[in-house]
Amino acid sequence: FFCLPINSPSDLDCFVSTERGEGQIVFVYTMDNGNHRMSSSQNTVQFIKEGNGTKLIFTEQGVYFDGIEAAKGREIGTRDVLDSLGSELDRKD
């Protein structure tokens, strides 16, 4: 278990807390912009052996104080990151 304050290049501040279990990582974070709380999320990343590979399941449960559009933007960003991770892992050098 560890907690990590993250300071981004903008005024955006995040706080991340992580715990690892058997085949999964659970992390929670809040995202603030100055004194304004933007969101709070709990995420679970599961790793399941599947044939010769590993299946990754990402679940985010969040509260987005800036409304539905903020939640949609977060989903798009998360999908982009996971797609990039998949492409990198599939890459053959």
Side-chain angles (χ1 to χ4, degrees):
F1 176 81
F2 70 90
C3 296
L4 175 67
I6 299 173
N7 295 312
S8 71
S10 67
D11 289 335
L12 205 60
D13 295 319
C14 295
F15 180 81
V16 178
S17 175
T18 303
E19 185 169 336
R20 286 189 271 188
E22 183 93 18
Q24 70 178 13
I25 300 171
V26 177
F27 63 97
V28 296
Y29 68 92
T30 58
M31 189 178 296
D32 299 331
N33 188 356
N35 291 328
H36 175 70
R37 169 100 352 125
M38 296 171 60
S39 66
S40 182
S41 297
Q42 175 176 312
N43 301 268
T44 303
V45 184
Q46 296 171 280
F47 303 94
I48 301 169
K49 183 165 178 54
E50 194 170 87
N52 291 329
T54 302
K55 180 178 182 179
L56 183 146
I57 299 174
F58 182 89
T59 305
E60 180 170 9
Q61 297 168 305
V63 178
Y64 306 96
F65 302 108
D66 289 338
I68 192 74
E69 292 305 314
K72 287 180 186 176
R74 189 73 51 82
E75 180 180 356
I76 291 167
T78 300
R79 284 184 190 276
D80 288 347
V81 167
L82 292 174
D83 287 346
S84 294
L85 174 62
S87 295
E88 187 65 26
L89 293 172
D90 286 341
R91 192 174 69 162
K92 297 188 181 10
D93 291 318

